Amino acid sequence: MPHALDAFDRVVCINLEERTDRWELAQKAAAPLLRGAKLERFNAIKPDLAENPVHNGRAGCLLSHRRVIENAYEEGLDSVLVFEDDLAFKPEFEHLIQPTLATLGKKSWDLFYLGFTPKAPLLPAGDGLVRTYGGATTHAIAYHRRAMTELIRCLPDETNVLRFLSRYKSVDRYYWQKIAPRMRCYAASPMLVFQRGDFSDIQQADTVSNQEHACKAFERHLVKEVKPMDQVKLQIQRAFNCIRFQIDGTRRVLLKPIKAK
């Protein structure tokens, strides 16, 4: 069985050039979990397209993920694990990740979250794994080659990223609303990676660790025993959300478009 992060063809950390402090902390956190694998630094894209710096931060996050996925696809990789540089590993990560990876290896998966904030039901999928239908944050997410072509096609480049964000607000919300309901998305159970409290270049403000909030959301959405009616309820909820998200996105594009410089 691959050891911890070695299960993925590439392990990348998205990091702004000026945030050397975050890169140093990310390397220190990941070092004990790397054997054959190497933590590669991706120089985060920093666009200057919108009037509001928060929108530029969200655009940079989206464009960085897209570029990492594109690079992995062009190089013929089967998987790439992407960290954002505010990551914090659960102390028991090395022990808990092994059964999760063993179960994941038996699945035909597209996206795999090592940590996130669930926004939809989580269904048991085997030892250490749940099936997810959507959640927030992209600080610890793996992409399989099966999903790369679709994501490269759907995610915008710099020419239309502001309109895209006017509709979906951020890349994690797009995954939650559009990708998770139709792709095979899984998450570690329990969650293994959290966001560390720090100054956020995206939010342009100090943030606190998301661990407590994410864990509460995980427990709230976890379906511990799947009953026949749960699948019916899930399908109804997904159909309702599809309509709601479409209306909400159209309203934002028409009434609150992001202002370009």
Side-chain angles (χ1 to χ4, degrees), residues 21-248:
D21 57 325
R22 282 193 168 195
W23 173 233
E24 290 173 1
L25 288 172
Q27 290 180 93
K28 184 177 179 180
L33 309 172
L34 297 166
R35 288 186 182 172
K38 173 188 176 184
L39 183 64
E40 300 182 20
R41 179 183 174 277
F42 177 84
N43 193 27
I45 296 172
K46 191 176 180 181
D48 187 24
L49 303 170
E51 290 184 358
N52 189 329
V54 170
H55 295 143
N56 284 321
R58 291 173 179 168
C61 179
L62 185 156
L63 294 171
S64 295
H65 275 266
R66 187 186 190 279
R67 185 70 58 78
V68 170
I69 295 167
E70 195 171 38
N71 290 345
Y73 183 80
E74 290 175 351
E75 293 177 36
L77 303 184
D78 284 331
S79 64
V80 58
L81 172 59
V82 182
F83 291 126
E84 293 168 3
D85 59 9
D86 57 349
L87 77 164
F89 292 98
K90 191 180 182 75
E92 305 90 346
F93 180 95
E94 190 169 7
H95 170 70
L96 294 173
I97 190 65
Q98 298 305 325
T100 301
L101 291 177
T103 306
L104 185 69
K106 300 173 185 176
K107 305 289 185 181
S108 181
W109 62 276
D110 295 313
L111 273 64
F112 169 57
Y113 291 88
L114 282 79
F116 72 138
T117 303
K119 298 288 186 179
L122 303 169
L123 305 184
D127 192 15
L129 202 67
V130 290
R131 177 72 184 269
T132 173
Y133 291 91
T137 69
T138 52
H139 61 278
I141 182 171
Y143 301 98
H144 196 279
R145 188 171 184 82
R146 281 182 290 267
M148 292 180 188
T149 304
E150 177 76 359
L151 292 174
I152 293 168
R153 182 183 67 82
C154 293
L155 293 177
D157 57 20
E158 287 197 8
T159 62
N160 58 353
V161 67
L162 294 186
R163 180 173 176 80
F164 183 96
L165 292 176
S166 293
R167 177 178 291 276
Y168 297 109
K169 192 174 180 180
S170 60
V171 65
D172 58 324
R173 283 177 64 94
Y174 176 73
Y175 288 173
W176 161 28
Q177 295 179 10
K178 292 293 186 178
I179 297 300
R182 58 190 176 86
M183 284 193 181
R184 293 157 296 192
C185 301
Y186 293 90
S189 177
M191 289 184 294
L192 302 175
V193 186
F194 303 97
Q195 289 179 301
R196 186 182 64 252
D198 198 351
F199 178 81
S200 169
D201 295 278
I202 295 178
Q203 300 300 331
Q204 290 291 300
D206 289 326
T207 62
V208 298
S209 169
N210 79 329
Q211 183 167 351
E212 182 178 358
H213 177 64
C215 287
K216 286 181 179 178
F218 194 94
E219 287 300 316
R220 184 167 64 252
H221 289 288
L222 181 62
V223 179
K224 295 181 179 175
E225 182 181 356
V226 181
K227 300 175 182 177
M229 281 302 296
D230 290 328
Q231 291 288 355
V232 176
K233 291 178 182 177
L234 179 60
Q235 294 300 326
I236 294 173
Q237 182 183 28
R238 287 167 65 186
F240 172 77
N241 282 342
C242 181
I243 297 171
R244 179 167 66 91
F245 294 151
Q246 184 66 33
I247 294 173
D248 187 47

